[in-house]
Structures are given as structure tokens and as C-alpha cells.
Amino acid sequence: MSEAVKNVWIAAALLLAIAMAAGFAGYRAGCDPAMHEQACRSDTMAWLRQEFHLTDAQYAAIDELHRGYTASCDEHCRAIREAMQARDALESAKPADPAAIAAAGRRVRELSGRCETALLRHLGQVAALMSPEDGRRYLGMMRPLVAKFRHTGAPDLDLSASHAGHGH
Amino acid sequence: MRSSDFLSSTFGAWRVKPPPDPEFRAEVWRRIGEAREAAPWTAFVRARVAVLATAATLTIAVSGWAGHSLARIRAEADRDALAASYIAALDARVHLKLDE
């Protein structure tokens, strides 16, 4: 190999090393290891605290609000489940009663709507405990997720980790 | 006559008439090229400093941007997953998979 070709290869290797170093530095500058860790552990409350810059007092108040909402959520869950069971029973009954099935379906949708309204109200209360800017950002992030359910149904989530203590 | 006078007159009368070499110019350039090829690393860099500096700057900019973008994409994915998980924990309809 001639000296010139060797020098070209050395230059190419140096540029490659520079590329890798710059890429790594850019990656380190852009990544959020704390949030990645929270995502791996499904630690949504720790994420909420960091993402929306909650003070200890705000965090405690929101945590309490969430705990209070859990009872309401459980109640919605129970009511919707019963309505769904009633609808399913009507659907499998012989002979089928279309009017009753439609009414049962309406009941499920009505309860679902109430659940959504209560959830949106709860999100508003949580946002009110944050700073105005973070509260707006919180609602801007959460409301579409609630609305998305209406259009697409339940997301395919593994809820076992995040709902372990939720009581559903 | 002294010997120095003799040498002076001899050298004064001496005329060198080499035969013209048609390959002379090409040979000079060939040897310059060889010398260039054999240049050490520092000489190689000095001869191409503008090209190498531009390449290094572009490499840093593109690679840094690519690394940063990749990290932001991953952070956004983490954020989306956490937000979805958070709202799922509060939404009874998700638990019941109401769409089914």
C-alpha cells in the first residue's frame, strides 16, 4: 500500500472516530436517563413530578387527589362492568330482544361518557394544582389521550405493573 | 606557465554539451509525484488542511445532530408511554377494555 493511500485510510478512520464521538455526545446531550428509567419501571408519579416540575407540596396534593379519585374510578369501573355484563347477557339470550340490547348498549355508552367526564374533571383539578404553564401542558398532553380512547378503544397496554395497587 | 593558469585556461575552454533529454520534464514531475506519495502524515494533512477541516466539521455536525435526534425520539417514546400508562391508571374504560 502506498503512503498516500495509507494516509487516506488514516484520515477516513479518524473521521469515523470523530463521527462516533460526536454522535455519542449528541445522544448524551439529548437523552433523558431519568425518564427512561421511569418508563422502564412504569413509575408514572415520579415522571409526573419531573415532567411538570412539581414541588413537594404540589406532588403531595396531586397524589392525594389521585388517591381520592381512585374510589370514584373504582365505582365507574364497577358500574360499567355490570352494564356490560347485562348487555352481554341480553345479547346471548334466546330469543334476543333487540330493543333491550340497544338500551343496554346505550347504558354502557352513557356510563362510559360519565367516566370520561369525571376523568376530565379530575385532570382539570390536577392541572389546577400545577403552575399555569405546566397545567396547560399537562392538559394538552392528557386530554387527547382521553379523547383517543373514544375513537380507538382501549390501548394495548400491559397494565399489570402500573395498576397493581389500583384495585380494579 | 604556472599550473593554476593552465587549469584556468583549460576550464575556460571546456564546454559541456549534453545531449537533450526529451524525458527530462516528465522525469522531474515523476520524481515530484513520488516524493509527494512518500510524504509523511503531517505533510499529507498540511497539503489538504481545508478539505480535512471541512470534512471534520461536517462529520461533527451531522453525527451530533443524528445522535441528538435519536435521543429525542427515544425520549418522546418514553414520554408517550408514561403518559399513556398514567392516563390508563385513571381511566376505568381502559381497565375494562370497553371497546371489546
Side-chain angles (χ1 to χ4, degrees):
Chain A
M1 190 188 300
S2 76
E3 193 71 22
V5 174
K6 195 173 134 193
N7 285 339
V8 169
W9 277 110
I10 291 171
L14 277 175
L15 284 176
L16 185 65
I18 289 169
M20 288 171 72
F24 182 72
Y27 184 81
R28 292 287 297 173
C31 75
D32 188 338
M35 188 162 67
H36 186 64
E37 181 65 24
Q38 288 153 6
C40 289
R41 289 187 284 112
S42 289
D43 191 349
T44 53
M45 287 306 285
W47 166 72
L48 200 72
R49 181 178 211 150
Q50 183 192 305
E51 180 73 23
F52 299 103
H53 317 105
L54 303 181
T55 63
D56 288 348
Q58 287 172 322
Y59 179 81
I62 288 171
D63 192 37
E64 195 180 327
L65 204 59
H66 279 339
R67 287 177 198 283
Y69 181 73
T70 301
S72 164
C73 186
D74 286 345
E75 178 57 31
H76 287 131
C77 200
R78 187 192 57 75
I80 295 170
R81 184 183 291 118
E82 285 175 4
M84 286 169 72
Q85 285 168 348
R87 181 198 61 192
D88 292 347
L90 285 168
E91 281 175 348
S92 57
K94 299 271 190 282
D97 181 352
I101 291 171
R106 279 197 300 276
R107 175 71 180 153
V108 170
R109 283 193 294 279
E110 180 197 332
L111 289 170
S112 172
R114 278 189 207 168
C115 171
E116 182 176 323
T117 304
L119 177 56
L120 288 171
R121 189 166 53 240
H122 172 69
L123 295 179
Q125 288 168 343
V126 171
L129 291 170
M130 299 177 176
S131 69
E133 189 185 330
D134 282 324
R136 270 193 298 276
R137 200 160 56 83
Y138 170 83
L139 287 176
M141 192 184 292
M142 299 305 165
R143 278 177 175 156
L145 289 173
V146 175
K148 194 176 170 189
F149 180 92
R150 203 185 309 136
H151 300 296
T152 62
D156 186 16
L157 292 168
D158 177 11
L159 302 172
S160 55
S162 56
H163 298 165
H166 198 70
H168 291 291
Chain B
M1 185 181 278
R2 285 175 13 207
S3 63
S4 60
D5 294 339
F6 170 73
L7 282 173
S8 294
S9 64
T10 304
F11 282 129
W14 188 22
R15 294 286 180 273
V16 178
K17 290 187 178 171
D21 181 0
E23 298 296 318
F24 179 78
R25 188 181 291 270
E27 183 64 15
V28 169
W29 281 113
R30 188 186 63 76
R31 287 171 66 183
I32 289 172
E34 276 181 6
R36 262 190 196 154
E37 282 202 359
W41 168 249
T42 48
F44 174 83
V45 172
R46 223 177 282 129
R48 298 162 181 82
V49 69
V51 173
L52 290 173
T54 305
T57 306
L58 282 175
T59 301
I60 289 169
V62 172
S63 304
W65 174 82
H68 192 265
S69 299
L70 189 66
R72 296 319 302 164
I73 288 168
R74 196 180 87 160
E76 278 304 312
D78 285 341
R79 182 177 284 109
D80 289 348
L82 280 159
S85 189
Y86 169 77
I87 211 73
L90 297 171
D91 196 337
R93 301 168 303 167
V94 176
H95 309 159
L96 294 167
K97 298 224 175 234
L98 205 54
D99 58 322
E100 289 174 356

Short mmCIF file of all heavy atoms in Angstrom, two decimals, chain B residues 63-94:
data_model
loop_
_atom_site.label_atom_id
_atom_site.label_comp_id
_atom_site.label_asym_id
_atom_site.label_seq_id
_atom_site.Cartn_x
_atom_site.Cartn_y
_atom_site.Cartn_z
N SER B 63 -23.17 14.02 12.65
CA SER B 63 -23.22 12.95 13.65
C SER B 63 -23.83 13.45 14.96
O SER B 63 -24.62 12.74 15.59
CB SER B 63 -21.82 12.41 13.92
OG SER B 63 -21.24 11.97 12.74
N GLY B 64 -23.45 14.65 15.37
CA GLY B 64 -24.02 15.21 16.59
C GLY B 64 -25.51 15.39 16.48
O GLY B 64 -26.27 15.03 17.38
N TRP B 65 -25.95 15.91 15.34
CA TRP B 65 -27.39 16.10 15.11
C TRP B 65 -28.12 14.75 15.09
O TRP B 65 -29.20 14.61 15.68
CB TRP B 65 -27.59 16.85 13.78
CG TRP B 65 -29.02 16.98 13.39
CD1 TRP B 65 -29.92 17.91 13.84
CD2 TRP B 65 -29.75 16.14 12.50
NE1 TRP B 65 -31.14 17.69 13.27
CE2 TRP B 65 -31.08 16.61 12.46
CE3 TRP B 65 -29.40 15.02 11.73
CZ2 TRP B 65 -32.04 16.02 11.67
CZ3 TRP B 65 -30.37 14.41 10.96
CH2 TRP B 65 -31.67 14.92 10.92
N ALA B 66 -27.52 13.76 14.43
CA ALA B 66 -28.16 12.44 14.34
C ALA B 66 -28.28 11.81 15.74
O ALA B 66 -29.33 11.26 16.09
CB ALA B 66 -27.35 11.53 13.41
N GLY B 67 -27.20 11.90 16.51
CA GLY B 67 -27.25 11.35 17.87
C GLY B 67 -28.28 12.04 18.72
O GLY B 67 -29.06 11.40 19.44
N HIS B 68 -28.34 13.36 18.61
CA HIS B 68 -29.31 14.14 19.39
C HIS B 68 -30.74 13.79 18.97
O HIS B 68 -31.62 13.62 19.82
CB HIS B 68 -29.03 15.63 19.19
CG HIS B 68 -29.75 16.50 20.15
ND1 HIS B 68 -30.96 17.08 19.85
CD2 HIS B 68 -29.45 16.88 21.42
CE1 HIS B 68 -31.37 17.78 20.88
NE2 HIS B 68 -30.47 17.69 21.85
N SER B 69 -30.96 13.67 17.68
CA SER B 69 -32.30 13.34 17.18
C SER B 69 -32.74 11.97 17.68
O SER B 69 -33.89 11.78 18.08
CB SER B 69 -32.33 13.37 15.66
OG SER B 69 -32.00 14.64 15.20
N LEU B 70 -31.83 11.02 17.63
CA LEU B 70 -32.15 9.67 18.09
C LEU B 70 -32.54 9.68 19.57
O LEU B 70 -33.52 9.03 19.97
CB LEU B 70 -30.92 8.77 17.88
CG LEU B 70 -31.13 7.28 18.10
CD1 LEU B 70 -32.08 6.71 17.05
CD2 LEU B 70 -29.79 6.54 18.03
N ALA B 71 -31.80 10.45 20.35
CA ALA B 71 -32.10 10.54 21.78
C ALA B 71 -33.47 11.18 22.01
O ALA B 71 -34.23 10.75 22.88
CB ALA B 71 -31.02 11.34 22.49
N ARG B 72 -33.78 12.23 21.22
CA ARG B 72 -35.08 12.90 21.38
C ARG B 72 -36.22 11.97 21.00
O ARG B 72 -37.28 11.98 21.63
CB ARG B 72 -35.15 14.17 20.52
CG ARG B 72 -34.17 15.28 20.86
CD ARG B 72 -33.99 15.51 22.33
NE ARG B 72 -35.21 15.83 23.03
CZ ARG B 72 -35.35 15.78 24.36
NH1 ARG B 72 -34.35 15.41 25.11
NH2 ARG B 72 -36.49 16.08 24.92
N ILE B 73 -36.01 11.16 19.96
CA ILE B 73 -37.06 10.21 19.55
C ILE B 73 -37.31 9.21 20.68
O ILE B 73 -38.44 8.89 21.03
CB ILE B 73 -36.64 9.49 18.25
CG1 ILE B 73 -36.72 10.46 17.06
CG2 ILE B 73 -37.49 8.26 17.99
CD1 ILE B 73 -36.07 9.96 15.80
N ARG B 74 -36.21 8.74 21.27
CA ARG B 74 -36.36 7.78 22.37
C ARG B 74 -37.04 8.44 23.57
O ARG B 74 -37.91 7.84 24.20
CB ARG B 74 -35.00 7.21 22.78
CG ARG B 74 -35.13 5.96 23.61
CD ARG B 74 -33.80 5.39 24.00
NE ARG B 74 -33.33 6.00 25.24
CZ ARG B 74 -32.41 5.47 26.03
NH1 ARG B 74 -31.85 4.33 25.70
NH2 ARG B 74 -32.02 6.07 27.12
N ALA B 75 -36.67 9.67 23.87
CA ALA B 75 -37.27 10.38 25.00
C ALA B 75 -38.77 10.61 24.75
O ALA B 75 -39.59 10.47 25.67
CB ALA B 75 -36.55 11.71 25.23
N GLU B 76 -39.13 10.95 23.50
CA GLU B 76 -40.54 11.15 23.17
C GLU B 76 -41.32 9.86 23.34
O GLU B 76 -42.45 9.85 23.83
CB GLU B 76 -40.68 11.67 21.73
CG GLU B 76 -40.46 13.16 21.60
CD GLU B 76 -41.38 13.99 22.50
OE1 GLU B 76 -42.59 13.74 22.52
OE2 GLU B 76 -40.87 14.86 23.22
N ALA B 77 -40.71 8.75 22.92
CA ALA B 77 -41.37 7.44 23.06
C ALA B 77 -41.57 7.12 24.54
O ALA B 77 -42.64 6.61 24.94
CB ALA B 77 -40.53 6.36 22.38
N ASP B 78 -40.57 7.41 25.35
CA ASP B 78 -40.69 7.18 26.79
C ASP B 78 -41.80 8.05 27.38
O ASP B 78 -42.62 7.58 28.18
CB ASP B 78 -39.37 7.52 27.50
CG ASP B 78 -38.30 6.46 27.28
OD1 ASP B 78 -38.65 5.33 26.91
OD2 ASP B 78 -37.10 6.77 27.48
N ARG B 79 -41.84 9.32 26.93
CA ARG B 79 -42.85 10.25 27.44
C ARG B 79 -44.25 9.77 27.06
O ARG B 79 -45.17 9.76 27.88
CB ARG B 79 -42.60 11.65 26.90
CG ARG B 79 -43.58 12.69 27.41
CD ARG B 79 -43.27 14.09 26.92
NE ARG B 79 -42.13 14.64 27.64
CZ ARG B 79 -40.92 14.84 27.11
NH1 ARG B 79 -40.70 14.54 25.85
NH2 ARG B 79 -39.94 15.34 27.82
N ASP B 80 -44.40 9.37 25.80
CA ASP B 80 -45.72 8.88 25.34
C ASP B 80 -46.15 7.66 26.13
O ASP B 80 -47.32 7.53 26.52
CB ASP B 80 -45.64 8.54 23.85
CG ASP B 80 -45.52 9.78 22.98
OD1 ASP B 80 -45.71 10.89 23.51
OD2 ASP B 80 -45.21 9.65 21.79
N ALA B 81 -45.21 6.74 26.36
CA ALA B 81 -45.54 5.51 27.09
C ALA B 81 -45.94 5.84 28.53
O ALA B 81 -46.91 5.28 29.06
CB ALA B 81 -44.34 4.56 27.08
N LEU B 82 -45.22 6.77 29.15
CA LEU B 82 -45.54 7.14 30.54
C LEU B 82 -46.88 7.85 30.62
O LEU B 82 -47.67 7.58 31.53
CB LEU B 82 -44.42 8.02 31.10
CG LEU B 82 -43.19 7.24 31.57
CD1 LEU B 82 -41.97 8.16 31.62
CD2 LEU B 82 -43.43 6.61 32.93
N ALA B 83 -47.15 8.75 29.67
CA ALA B 83 -48.42 9.47 29.68
C ALA B 83 -49.58 8.49 29.47
O ALA B 83 -50.61 8.57 30.15
CB ALA B 83 -48.43 10.54 28.59
N ALA B 84 -49.40 7.55 28.54
CA ALA B 84 -50.45 6.55 28.28
C ALA B 84 -50.66 5.68 29.51
O ALA B 84 -51.80 5.37 29.88
CB ALA B 84 -50.08 5.70 27.07
N SER B 85 -49.58 5.31 30.16
CA SER B 85 -49.67 4.47 31.35
C SER B 85 -50.35 5.23 32.49
O SER B 85 -51.17 4.68 33.24
CB SER B 85 -48.25 4.05 31.75
OG SER B 85 -48.28 3.09 32.74
N TYR B 86 -50.02 6.51 32.59
CA TYR B 86 -50.60 7.35 33.64
C TYR B 86 -52.11 7.48 33.45
O TYR B 86 -52.88 7.28 34.38
CB TYR B 86 -49.92 8.72 33.59
CG TYR B 86 -50.58 9.79 34.42
CD1 TYR B 86 -50.41 9.83 35.80
CD2 TYR B 86 -51.37 10.77 33.83
CE1 TYR B 86 -51.02 10.82 36.57
CE2 TYR B 86 -51.98 11.76 34.58
CZ TYR B 86 -51.80 11.78 35.95
OH TYR B 86 -52.40 12.76 36.69
N ILE B 87 -52.51 7.79 32.22
CA ILE B 87 -53.94 8.01 31.98
C ILE B 87 -54.70 6.67 32.07
O ILE B 87 -55.84 6.63 32.51
CB ILE B 87 -54.18 8.72 30.62
CG1 ILE B 87 -55.43 9.61 30.69
CG2 ILE B 87 -54.32 7.77 29.47
CD1 ILE B 87 -55.25 10.84 31.50
N ALA B 88 -54.03 5.60 31.68
CA ALA B 88 -54.67 4.28 31.76
C ALA B 88 -54.97 3.92 33.21
O ALA B 88 -55.97 3.27 33.50
CB ALA B 88 -53.76 3.22 31.13
N ALA B 89 -54.10 4.34 34.12
CA ALA B 89 -54.31 4.03 35.53
C ALA B 89 -55.52 4.78 36.09
O ALA B 89 -56.06 4.40 37.13
CB ALA B 89 -53.06 4.40 36.33
N LEU B 90 -55.94 5.85 35.40
CA LEU B 90 -57.06 6.66 35.90
C LEU B 90 -58.35 6.42 35.14
O LEU B 90 -59.40 6.92 35.53
CB LEU B 90 -56.70 8.15 35.78
CG LEU B 90 -55.52 8.66 36.59
CD1 LEU B 90 -55.17 10.08 36.19
CD2 LEU B 90 -55.83 8.60 38.09
N ASP B 91 -58.27 5.68 34.05
CA ASP B 91 -59.42 5.54 33.16
C ASP B 91 -60.03 4.15 33.29
O ASP B 91 -59.45 3.16 32.85
CB ASP B 91 -58.98 5.81 31.71
CG ASP B 91 -60.16 6.05 30.80
OD1 ASP B 91 -61.28 5.61 31.15
OD2 ASP B 91 -59.98 6.68 29.75
N ALA B 92 -61.21 4.11 33.89
CA ALA B 92 -61.88 2.83 34.12
C ALA B 92 -62.14 2.11 32.80
O ALA B 92 -62.12 0.88 32.74
CB ALA B 92 -63.20 3.06 34.85
N ARG B 93 -62.38 2.87 31.75
CA ARG B 93 -62.71 2.25 30.46
C ARG B 93 -61.55 1.44 29.92
O ARG B 93 -61.73 0.43 29.25
CB ARG B 93 -63.09 3.34 29.45
CG ARG B 93 -64.26 4.18 29.89
CD ARG B 93 -64.43 5.39 29.02
NE ARG B 93 -63.23 6.20 29.00
CZ ARG B 93 -63.00 7.18 28.13
NH1 ARG B 93 -63.91 7.46 27.21
NH2 ARG B 93 -61.89 7.88 28.18
N VAL B 94 -60.33 1.88 30.22
CA VAL B 94 -59.15 1.15 29.75
C VAL B 94 -59.07 -0.19 30.45
O VAL B 94 -58.79 -1.22 29.83
CB VAL B 94 -57.87 1.96 30.00
CG1 VAL B 94 -56.64 1.16 29.60
CG2 VAL B 94 -57.91 3.27 29.24
#
